[in-house]
Every structure is written in C-alpha cells, then in structure tokens.
Amino acid sequence: MERITWNQFFMAQCHLLALRSTCTRLAVGATIVRDKRIIAGGYNGSIAGDEHCIDHGCYVVDNHCVRTVHAEMNALLQCSKYGTSTHGADLYVTHFPCLPCTKSIIQAGIKTVYYATDYKNNSYALTLFEKAGVTVEHVPFDERKVDFLRDEKLALYFEMLQEMREAGVDEQKIHTLEKQVTALIGKAF
C-alpha cells in the first residue's frame, strides 16, 4: 500500500471528523496540527447538551443555522478548554473557512490553513489571511488514498471483468467500464 502524504493524512482526519457532524446542510471537520502532531479536532454541530439539527432541523436566521458551532471554532475551543496553545500551529479543514472563523483562526495565531474544498470563499477572508501573514493552501482530498477496501474492490473488479469476457461482452463496453473503475479506485493495473 502506498504511504500517504502528511497533508492527505491530516485532511483524512478532517473528513473522518466531519462524519460526526450533526449539521444537515454541510458536514465539516477541522484538525489543528503542530509539528506533525494532532493537537485538536472539531466538527460542526450544536453545543454540548443542546438539540441537534439532525434531530430537530436547522434553526435558520438570515439564511444561516445559528444552532451550529463551526468545526474550526470547535477545534480552537477544544485547545482553549484544555490549555493547548494554537500559536504557530496549522489548521486543516474540509471546506474553506467562513469569515467569522477566519477572524478566529487569525486571532488564535494559526500560521497555515489547509482546506480541501472551496466553499463560498470570501474575498475579505483571503485579504485578512494575507494581511495577517497566514498561508492558505488548497489541498484537494483524494478519498482513494484512504480506501481500506481497495484491494478487495480490485479483486472483485478483476473477477467480474474475467466473467464478462467469458460471457462474450463487447470489449468496447468492458474498456468503458475499466475507465470508470480506474477513475473511482485509481490505477487498477
């Protein structure tokens, strides 16, 4: 198995955290890292003990769910709660941070923000990051790099391919399917 890069490793952590999200509109995860070590993580959801959007629906005011604490804020607050400095740390997040999170990230002393997906990228947020000397880097997440069932999927694919050839399926059809599998799983050969 191929060893993933540090950026893909920490981005995978963010996507794993996002699976805990209780927001029905967008699942987001964030991880704070110092010296290649995870110091905190967060996902978007309600405050501890409150109702969750997945159970009671979003509480929307001005087209924004006010019930939800954003993933970046939850990660920063976790550091605050347990007395862990964020000064000079890196933040990985599944989606580009909103403007309020951008301000908090800067104030917390984060030096680099890595994000996987563009999401309503605010030009003023980019300006603030630049003025504060915070590096912002787009790191697309390749889910195929953390597919724990890749080998089993490939074995099934090769078995099906062989059965299709034995059944006389048109080679052009098989070739088209090969392209689709390669796009989903990665290079199959």
mmCIF file with all atom_site columns, all heavy atoms in Angstrom, residues 81-104:
data_model
loop_
_atom_site.group_PDB
_atom_site.id
_atom_site.type_symbol
_atom_site.label_atom_id
_atom_site.label_alt_id
_atom_site.label_comp_id
_atom_site.label_asym_id
_atom_site.label_entity_id
_atom_site.label_seq_id
_atom_site.pdbx_PDB_ins_code
_atom_site.Cartn_x
_atom_site.Cartn_y
_atom_site.Cartn_z
_atom_site.occupancy
_atom_site.B_iso_or_equiv
_atom_site.pdbx_formal_charge
_atom_site.auth_seq_id
_atom_site.auth_comp_id
_atom_site.auth_asym_id
_atom_site.auth_atom_id
_atom_site.pdbx_PDB_model_num
ATOM 1   N N   . LYS A 1 81  ? -10.092 25.060 25.955 1.00 0.00 ? 81  LYS A N   1
ATOM 2   C CA  . LYS A 1 81  ? -10.642 24.325 27.097 1.00 0.00 ? 81  LYS A CA  1
ATOM 3   C C   . LYS A 1 81  ? -9.568  23.531 27.841 1.00 0.00 ? 81  LYS A C   1
ATOM 4   O O   . LYS A 1 81  ? -9.586  23.435 29.065 1.00 0.00 ? 81  LYS A O   1
ATOM 5   C CB  . LYS A 1 81  ? -11.744 23.391 26.598 1.00 0.00 ? 81  LYS A CB  1
ATOM 6   C CG  . LYS A 1 81  ? -12.491 22.657 27.686 1.00 0.00 ? 81  LYS A CG  1
ATOM 7   C CD  . LYS A 1 81  ? -13.643 21.855 27.063 1.00 0.00 ? 81  LYS A CD  1
ATOM 8   C CE  . LYS A 1 81  ? -14.475 21.149 28.102 1.00 0.00 ? 81  LYS A CE  1
ATOM 9   N NZ  . LYS A 1 81  ? -15.620 20.456 27.498 1.00 0.00 ? 81  LYS A NZ  1
ATOM 10  N N   . TYR A 1 82  ? -8.628  22.971 27.093 1.00 0.00 ? 82  TYR A N   1
ATOM 11  C CA  . TYR A 1 82  ? -7.615  22.111 27.700 1.00 0.00 ? 82  TYR A CA  1
ATOM 12  C C   . TYR A 1 82  ? -6.238  22.779 27.810 1.00 0.00 ? 82  TYR A C   1
ATOM 13  O O   . TYR A 1 82  ? -5.253  22.114 28.117 1.00 0.00 ? 82  TYR A O   1
ATOM 14  C CB  . TYR A 1 82  ? -7.530  20.781 26.945 1.00 0.00 ? 82  TYR A CB  1
ATOM 15  C CG  . TYR A 1 82  ? -8.810  19.999 27.079 1.00 0.00 ? 82  TYR A CG  1
ATOM 16  C CD1 . TYR A 1 82  ? -9.700  19.899 26.018 1.00 0.00 ? 82  TYR A CD1 1
ATOM 17  C CD2 . TYR A 1 82  ? -9.155  19.404 28.291 1.00 0.00 ? 82  TYR A CD2 1
ATOM 18  C CE1 . TYR A 1 82  ? -10.895 19.201 26.157 1.00 0.00 ? 82  TYR A CE1 1
ATOM 19  C CE2 . TYR A 1 82  ? -10.348 18.706 28.433 1.00 0.00 ? 82  TYR A CE2 1
ATOM 20  C CZ  . TYR A 1 82  ? -11.214 18.618 27.366 1.00 0.00 ? 82  TYR A CZ  1
ATOM 21  O OH  . TYR A 1 82  ? -12.393 17.936 27.497 1.00 0.00 ? 82  TYR A OH  1
ATOM 22  N N   . GLY A 1 83  ? -6.183  24.085 27.543 1.00 0.00 ? 83  GLY A N   1
ATOM 23  C CA  . GLY A 1 83  ? -4.949  24.832 27.747 1.00 0.00 ? 83  GLY A CA  1
ATOM 24  C C   . GLY A 1 83  ? -3.831  24.528 26.764 1.00 0.00 ? 83  GLY A C   1
ATOM 25  O O   . GLY A 1 83  ? -2.662  24.561 27.131 1.00 0.00 ? 83  GLY A O   1
ATOM 26  N N   . THR A 1 84  ? -4.196  24.252 25.514 1.00 0.00 ? 84  THR A N   1
ATOM 27  C CA  . THR A 1 84  ? -3.207  23.954 24.489 1.00 0.00 ? 84  THR A CA  1
ATOM 28  C C   . THR A 1 84  ? -3.061  25.156 23.563 1.00 0.00 ? 84  THR A C   1
ATOM 29  O O   . THR A 1 84  ? -4.036  25.592 22.949 1.00 0.00 ? 84  THR A O   1
ATOM 30  C CB  . THR A 1 84  ? -3.631  22.718 23.663 1.00 0.00 ? 84  THR A CB  1
ATOM 31  O OG1 . THR A 1 84  ? -3.865  21.629 24.566 1.00 0.00 ? 84  THR A OG1 1
ATOM 32  C CG2 . THR A 1 84  ? -2.584  22.329 22.650 1.00 0.00 ? 84  THR A CG2 1
ATOM 33  N N   . SER A 1 85  ? -1.854  25.677 23.448 1.00 0.00 ? 85  SER A N   1
ATOM 34  C CA  . SER A 1 85  ? -1.605  26.841 22.601 1.00 0.00 ? 85  SER A CA  1
ATOM 35  C C   . SER A 1 85  ? -1.791  26.501 21.126 1.00 0.00 ? 85  SER A C   1
ATOM 36  O O   . SER A 1 85  ? -1.383  25.436 20.671 1.00 0.00 ? 85  SER A O   1
ATOM 37  C CB  . SER A 1 85  ? -0.186  27.363 22.823 1.00 0.00 ? 85  SER A CB  1
ATOM 38  O OG  . SER A 1 85  ? 0.103   28.396 21.902 1.00 0.00 ? 85  SER A OG  1
ATOM 39  N N   . THR A 1 86  ? -2.379  27.432 20.395 1.00 0.00 ? 86  THR A N   1
ATOM 40  C CA  . THR A 1 86  ? -2.537  27.276 18.949 1.00 0.00 ? 86  THR A CA  1
ATOM 41  C C   . THR A 1 86  ? -1.561  28.167 18.186 1.00 0.00 ? 86  THR A C   1
ATOM 42  O O   . THR A 1 86  ? -1.520  28.130 16.960 1.00 0.00 ? 86  THR A O   1
ATOM 43  C CB  . THR A 1 86  ? -3.975  27.622 18.518 1.00 0.00 ? 86  THR A CB  1
ATOM 44  O OG1 . THR A 1 86  ? -4.296  28.941 18.977 1.00 0.00 ? 86  THR A OG1 1
ATOM 45  C CG2 . THR A 1 86  ? -4.965  26.631 19.070 1.00 0.00 ? 86  THR A CG2 1
ATOM 46  N N   . HIS A 1 87  ? -0.771  28.942 18.907 1.00 0.00 ? 87  HIS A N   1
ATOM 47  C CA  . HIS A 1 87  ? 0.164   29.865 18.267 1.00 0.00 ? 87  HIS A CA  1
ATOM 48  C C   . HIS A 1 87  ? 1.174   29.097 17.409 1.00 0.00 ? 87  HIS A C   1
ATOM 49  O O   . HIS A 1 87  ? 1.846   28.186 17.886 1.00 0.00 ? 87  HIS A O   1
ATOM 50  C CB  . HIS A 1 87  ? 0.913   30.698 19.314 1.00 0.00 ? 87  HIS A CB  1
ATOM 51  C CG  . HIS A 1 87  ? 1.835   31.695 18.691 1.00 0.00 ? 87  HIS A CG  1
ATOM 52  N ND1 . HIS A 1 87  ? 1.383   32.828 18.066 1.00 0.00 ? 87  HIS A ND1 1
ATOM 53  C CD2 . HIS A 1 87  ? 3.179   31.710 18.575 1.00 0.00 ? 87  HIS A CD2 1
ATOM 54  C CE1 . HIS A 1 87  ? 2.404   33.504 17.596 1.00 0.00 ? 87  HIS A CE1 1
ATOM 55  N NE2 . HIS A 1 87  ? 3.511   32.846 17.893 1.00 0.00 ? 87  HIS A NE2 1
ATOM 56  N N   . GLY A 1 88  ? 1.216   29.433 16.118 1.00 0.00 ? 88  GLY A N   1
ATOM 57  C CA  . GLY A 1 88  ? 2.150   28.796 15.200 1.00 0.00 ? 88  GLY A CA  1
ATOM 58  C C   . GLY A 1 88  ? 1.712   27.447 14.675 1.00 0.00 ? 88  GLY A C   1
ATOM 59  O O   . GLY A 1 88  ? 2.463   26.794 13.946 1.00 0.00 ? 88  GLY A O   1
ATOM 60  N N   . ALA A 1 89  ? 0.502   27.018 15.025 1.00 0.00 ? 89  ALA A N   1
ATOM 61  C CA  . ALA A 1 89  ? 0.008   25.717 14.568 1.00 0.00 ? 89  ALA A CA  1
ATOM 62  C C   . ALA A 1 89  ? -0.600  25.835 13.164 1.00 0.00 ? 89  ALA A C   1
ATOM 63  O O   . ALA A 1 89  ? -0.803  26.935 12.639 1.00 0.00 ? 89  ALA A O   1
ATOM 64  C CB  . ALA A 1 89  ? -1.029  25.174 15.549 1.00 0.00 ? 89  ALA A CB  1
ATOM 65  N N   . ASP A 1 90  ? -0.897  24.688 12.571 1.00 0.00 ? 90  ASP A N   1
ATOM 66  C CA  . ASP A 1 90  ? -1.571  24.610 11.270 1.00 0.00 ? 90  ASP A CA  1
ATOM 67  C C   . ASP A 1 90  ? -2.993  24.132 11.493 1.00 0.00 ? 90  ASP A C   1
ATOM 68  O O   . ASP A 1 90  ? -3.257  23.370 12.422 1.00 0.00 ? 90  ASP A O   1
ATOM 69  C CB  . ASP A 1 90  ? -0.864  23.616 10.348 1.00 0.00 ? 90  ASP A CB  1
ATOM 70  C CG  . ASP A 1 90  ? 0.584   23.974 10.082 1.00 0.00 ? 90  ASP A CG  1
ATOM 71  O OD1 . ASP A 1 90  ? 0.895   25.176 9.973  1.00 0.00 ? 90  ASP A OD1 1
ATOM 72  O OD2 . ASP A 1 90  ? 1.415   23.045 9.984  1.00 0.00 ? 90  ASP A OD2 1
ATOM 73  N N   . LEU A 1 91  ? -3.896  24.564 10.622 1.00 0.00 ? 91  LEU A N   1
ATOM 74  C CA  . LEU A 1 91  ? -5.281  24.111 10.697 1.00 0.00 ? 91  LEU A CA  1
ATOM 75  C C   . LEU A 1 91  ? -5.656  23.486 9.360  1.00 0.00 ? 91  LEU A C   1
ATOM 76  O O   . LEU A 1 91  ? -5.432  24.082 8.301  1.00 0.00 ? 91  LEU A O   1
ATOM 77  C CB  . LEU A 1 91  ? -6.224  25.274 11.006 1.00 0.00 ? 91  LEU A CB  1
ATOM 78  C CG  . LEU A 1 91  ? -7.684  24.857 11.172 1.00 0.00 ? 91  LEU A CG  1
ATOM 79  C CD1 . LEU A 1 91  ? -8.284  25.522 12.399 1.00 0.00 ? 91  LEU A CD1 1
ATOM 80  C CD2 . LEU A 1 91  ? -8.515  25.216 9.947  1.00 0.00 ? 91  LEU A CD2 1
ATOM 81  N N   . TYR A 1 92  ? -6.168  22.273 9.420  1.00 0.00 ? 92  TYR A N   1
ATOM 82  C CA  . TYR A 1 92  ? -6.691  21.576 8.245  1.00 0.00 ? 92  TYR A CA  1
ATOM 83  C C   . TYR A 1 92  ? -8.202  21.580 8.367  1.00 0.00 ? 92  TYR A C   1
ATOM 84  O O   . TYR A 1 92  ? -8.737  21.354 9.456  1.00 0.00 ? 92  TYR A O   1
ATOM 85  C CB  . TYR A 1 92  ? -6.176  20.131 8.200  1.00 0.00 ? 92  TYR A CB  1
ATOM 86  C CG  . TYR A 1 92  ? -4.717  20.009 7.851  1.00 0.00 ? 92  TYR A CG  1
ATOM 87  C CD1 . TYR A 1 92  ? -3.736  20.234 8.812  1.00 0.00 ? 92  TYR A CD1 1
ATOM 88  C CD2 . TYR A 1 92  ? -4.321  19.681 6.557  1.00 0.00 ? 92  TYR A CD2 1
ATOM 89  C CE1 . TYR A 1 92  ? -2.393  20.135 8.493  1.00 0.00 ? 92  TYR A CE1 1
ATOM 90  C CE2 . TYR A 1 92  ? -2.966  19.568 6.239  1.00 0.00 ? 92  TYR A CE2 1
ATOM 91  C CZ  . TYR A 1 92  ? -2.012  19.804 7.209  1.00 0.00 ? 92  TYR A CZ  1
ATOM 92  O OH  . TYR A 1 92  ? -0.684  19.709 6.887  1.00 0.00 ? 92  TYR A OH  1
ATOM 93  N N   . VAL A 1 93  ? -8.900  21.798 7.253  1.00 0.00 ? 93  VAL A N   1
ATOM 94  C CA  . VAL A 1 93  ? -10.353 21.850 7.294  1.00 0.00 ? 93  VAL A CA  1
ATOM 95  C C   . VAL A 1 93  ? -10.923 21.355 5.964  1.00 0.00 ? 93  VAL A C   1
ATOM 96  O O   . VAL A 1 93  ? -10.306 21.550 4.906  1.00 0.00 ? 93  VAL A O   1
ATOM 97  C CB  . VAL A 1 93  ? -10.848 23.281 7.647  1.00 0.00 ? 93  VAL A CB  1
ATOM 98  C CG1 . VAL A 1 93  ? -10.448 24.295 6.580  1.00 0.00 ? 93  VAL A CG1 1
ATOM 99  C CG2 . VAL A 1 93  ? -12.332 23.322 7.939  1.00 0.00 ? 93  VAL A CG2 1
ATOM 100 N N   . THR A 1 94  ? -12.069 20.702 6.025  1.00 0.00 ? 94  THR A N   1
ATOM 101 C CA  . THR A 1 94  ? -12.662 20.135 4.822  1.00 0.00 ? 94  THR A CA  1
ATOM 102 C C   . THR A 1 94  ? -13.129 21.200 3.829  1.00 0.00 ? 94  THR A C   1
ATOM 103 O O   . THR A 1 94  ? -13.126 20.966 2.625  1.00 0.00 ? 94  THR A O   1
ATOM 104 C CB  . THR A 1 94  ? -13.872 19.235 5.168  1.00 0.00 ? 94  THR A CB  1
ATOM 105 O OG1 . THR A 1 94  ? -14.809 19.995 5.927  1.00 0.00 ? 94  THR A OG1 1
ATOM 106 C CG2 . THR A 1 94  ? -13.432 17.998 5.933  1.00 0.00 ? 94  THR A CG2 1
ATOM 107 N N   . HIS A 1 95  ? -13.537 22.375 4.327  1.00 0.00 ? 95  HIS A N   1
ATOM 108 C CA  . HIS A 1 95  ? -14.070 23.434 3.479  1.00 0.00 ? 95  HIS A CA  1
ATOM 109 C C   . HIS A 1 95  ? -13.420 24.771 3.825  1.00 0.00 ? 95  HIS A C   1
ATOM 110 O O   . HIS A 1 95  ? -13.030 24.984 4.974  1.00 0.00 ? 95  HIS A O   1
ATOM 111 C CB  . HIS A 1 95  ? -15.590 23.553 3.660  1.00 0.00 ? 95  HIS A CB  1
ATOM 112 C CG  . HIS A 1 95  ? -16.326 22.334 3.217  1.00 0.00 ? 95  HIS A CG  1
ATOM 113 N ND1 . HIS A 1 95  ? -16.372 21.176 3.974  1.00 0.00 ? 95  HIS A ND1 1
ATOM 114 C CD2 . HIS A 1 95  ? -17.019 22.076 2.090  1.00 0.00 ? 95  HIS A CD2 1
ATOM 115 C CE1 . HIS A 1 95  ? -17.076 20.266 3.326  1.00 0.00 ? 95  HIS A CE1 1
ATOM 116 N NE2 . HIS A 1 95  ? -17.468 20.784 2.182  1.00 0.00 ? 95  HIS A NE2 1
ATOM 117 N N   . PHE A 1 96  ? -13.345 25.656 2.856  1.00 0.00 ? 96  PHE A N   1
ATOM 118 C CA  . PHE A 1 96  ? -12.762 26.976 3.099  1.00 0.00 ? 96  PHE A CA  1
ATOM 119 C C   . PHE A 1 96  ? -13.502 27.654 4.249  1.00 0.00 ? 96  PHE A C   1
ATOM 120 O O   . PHE A 1 96  ? -14.726 27.660 4.285  1.00 0.00 ? 96  PHE A O   1
ATOM 121 C CB  . PHE A 1 96  ? -12.855 27.838 1.831  1.00 0.00 ? 96  PHE A CB  1
ATOM 122 C CG  . PHE A 1 96  ? -12.117 29.131 1.948  1.00 0.00 ? 96  PHE A CG  1
ATOM 123 C CD1 . PHE A 1 96  ? -10.771 29.193 1.669  1.00 0.00 ? 96  PHE A CD1 1
ATOM 124 C CD2 . PHE A 1 96  ? -12.768 30.287 2.363  1.00 0.00 ? 96  PHE A CD2 1
ATOM 125 C CE1 . PHE A 1 96  ? -10.077 30.391 1.785  1.00 0.00 ? 96  PHE A CE1 1
ATOM 126 C CE2 . PHE A 1 96  ? -12.093 31.491 2.494  1.00 0.00 ? 96  PHE A CE2 1
ATOM 127 C CZ  . PHE A 1 96  ? -10.737 31.543 2.201  1.00 0.00 ? 96  PHE A CZ  1
ATOM 128 N N   . PRO A 1 97  ? -12.770 28.232 5.205  1.00 0.00 ? 97  PRO A N   1
ATOM 129 C CA  . PRO A 1 97  ? -13.418 28.829 6.385  1.00 0.00 ? 97  PRO A CA  1
ATOM 130 C C   . PRO A 1 97  ? -14.285 30.047 6.055  1.00 0.00 ? 97  PRO A C   1
ATOM 131 O O   . PRO A 1 97  ? -13.959 30.831 5.161  1.00 0.00 ? 97  PRO A O   1
ATOM 132 C CB  . PRO A 1 97  ? -12.225 29.269 7.260  1.00 0.00 ? 97  PRO A CB  1
ATOM 133 C CG  . PRO A 1 97  ? -11.059 28.493 6.752  1.00 0.00 ? 97  PRO A CG  1
ATOM 134 C CD  . PRO A 1 97  ? -11.313 28.260 5.300  1.00 0.00 ? 97  PRO A CD  1
ATOM 135 N N   . CYS A 1 98  ? -15.361 30.193 6.810  1.00 0.00 ? 98  CYS A N   1
ATOM 136 C CA  . CYS A 1 98  ? -16.212 31.366 6.683  1.00 0.00 ? 98  CYS A CA  1
ATOM 137 C C   . CYS A 1 98  ? -15.483 32.575 7.279  1.00 0.00 ? 98  CYS A C   1
ATOM 138 O O   . CYS A 1 98  ? -14.444 32.425 7.935  1.00 0.00 ? 98  CYS A O   1
ATOM 139 C CB  . CYS A 1 98  ? -17.555 31.139 7.386  1.00 0.00 ? 98  CYS A CB  1
ATOM 140 S SG  . CYS A 1 98  ? -17.425 31.072 9.189  1.00 0.00 ? 98  CYS A SG  1
ATOM 141 N N   . LEU A 1 99  ? -16.036 33.760 7.098  1.00 0.00 ? 99  LEU A N   1
ATOM 142 C CA  . LEU A 1 99  ? -15.396 34.979 7.589  1.00 0.00 ? 99  LEU A CA  1
ATOM 143 C C   . LEU A 1 99  ? -15.238 35.007 9.115  1.00 0.00 ? 99  LEU A C   1
ATOM 144 O O   . LEU A 1 99  ? -14.143 35.296 9.613  1.00 0.00 ? 99  LEU A O   1
ATOM 145 C CB  . LEU A 1 99  ? -16.150 36.215 7.083  1.00 0.00 ? 99  LEU A CB  1
ATOM 146 C CG  . LEU A 1 99  ? -15.522 37.560 7.397  1.00 0.00 ? 99  LEU A CG  1
ATOM 147 C CD1 . LEU A 1 99  ? -14.089 37.650 6.895  1.00 0.00 ? 99  LEU A CD1 1
ATOM 148 C CD2 . LEU A 1 99  ? -16.381 38.669 6.796  1.00 0.00 ? 99  LEU A CD2 1
ATOM 149 N N   . PRO A 1 100 ? -16.287 34.696 9.907  1.00 0.00 ? 100 PRO A N   1
ATOM 150 C CA  . PRO A 1 100 ? -16.083 34.688 11.360 1.00 0.00 ? 100 PRO A CA  1
ATOM 151 C C   . PRO A 1 100 ? -15.018 33.680 11.806 1.00 0.00 ? 100 PRO A C   1
ATOM 152 O O   . PRO A 1 100 ? -14.216 33.973 12.694 1.00 0.00 ? 100 PRO A O   1
ATOM 153 C CB  . PRO A 1 100 ? -17.464 34.335 11.918 1.00 0.00 ? 100 PRO A CB  1
ATOM 154 C CG  . PRO A 1 100 ? -18.422 34.792 10.869 1.00 0.00 ? 100 PRO A CG  1
ATOM 155 C CD  . PRO A 1 100 ? -17.706 34.527 9.570  1.00 0.00 ? 100 PRO A CD  1
ATOM 156 N N   . CYS A 1 101 ? -14.977 32.500 11.203 1.00 0.00 ? 101 CYS A N   1
ATOM 157 C CA  . CYS A 1 101 ? -13.946 31.513 11.553 1.00 0.00 ? 101 CYS A CA  1
ATOM 158 C C   . CYS A 1 101 ? -12.568 32.019 11.140 1.00 0.00 ? 101 CYS A C   1
ATOM 159 O O   . CYS A 1 101 ? -11.589 31.813 11.859 1.00 0.00 ? 101 CYS A O   1
ATOM 160 C CB  . CYS A 1 101 ? -14.243 30.156 10.911 1.00 0.00 ? 101 CYS A CB  1
ATOM 161 S SG  . CYS A 1 101 ? -15.574 29.255 11.742 1.00 0.00 ? 101 CYS A SG  1
ATOM 162 N N   . THR A 1 102 ? -12.492 32.688 9.995  1.00 0.00 ? 102 THR A N   1
ATOM 163 C CA  . THR A 1 102 ? -11.228 33.266 9.546  1.00 0.00 ? 102 THR A CA  1
ATOM 164 C C   . THR A 1 102 ? -10.662 34.202 10.605 1.00 0.00 ? 102 THR A C   1
ATOM 165 O O   . THR A 1 102 ? -9.476  34.134 10.951 1.00 0.00 ? 102 THR A O   1
ATOM 166 C CB  . THR A 1 102 ? -11.430 34.036 8.217  1.00 0.00 ? 102 THR A CB  1
ATOM 167 O OG1 . THR A 1 102 ? -11.786 33.099 7.202  1.00 0.00 ? 102 THR A OG1 1
ATOM 168 C CG2 . THR A 1 102 ? -10.178 34.789 7.810  1.00 0.00 ? 102 THR A CG2 1
ATOM 169 N N   . LYS A 1 103 ? -11.504 35.056 11.135 1.00 0.00 ? 103 LYS A N   1
ATOM 170 C CA  . LYS A 1 103 ? -11.063 36.011 12.161 1.00 0.00 ? 103 LYS A CA  1
ATOM 171 C C   . LYS A 1 103 ? -10.557 35.277 13.405 1.00 0.00 ? 103 LYS A C   1
ATOM 172 O O   . LYS A 1 103 ? -9.528  35.642 13.978 1.00 0.00 ? 103 LYS A O   1
ATOM 173 C CB  . LYS A 1 103 ? -12.204 36.963 12.524 1.00 0.00 ? 103 LYS A CB  1
ATOM 174 C CG  . LYS A 1 103 ? -12.618 37.878 11.389 1.00 0.00 ? 103 LYS A CG  1
ATOM 175 C CD  . LYS A 1 103 ? -13.836 38.689 11.795 1.00 0.00 ? 103 LYS A CD  1
ATOM 176 C CE  . LYS A 1 103 ? -14.385 39.493 10.658 1.00 0.00 ? 103 LYS A CE  1
ATOM 177 N NZ  . LYS A 1 103 ? -15.592 40.252 11.067 1.00 0.00 ? 103 LYS A NZ  1
ATOM 178 N N   . SER A 1 104 ? -11.264 34.250 13.816 1.00 0.00 ? 104 SER A N   1
ATOM 179 C CA  . SER A 1 104 ? -10.850 33.480 14.993 1.00 0.00 ? 104 SER A CA  1
ATOM 180 C C   . SER A 1 104 ? -9.549  32.724 14.740 1.00 0.00 ? 104 SER A C   1
ATOM 181 O O   . SER A 1 104 ? -8.691  32.635 15.624 1.00 0.00 ? 104 SER A O   1
ATOM 182 C CB  . SER A 1 104 ? -11.957 32.507 15.408 1.00 0.00 ? 104 SER A CB  1
ATOM 183 O OG  . SER A 1 104 ? -13.103 33.213 15.807 1.00 0.00 ? 104 SER A OG  1
#
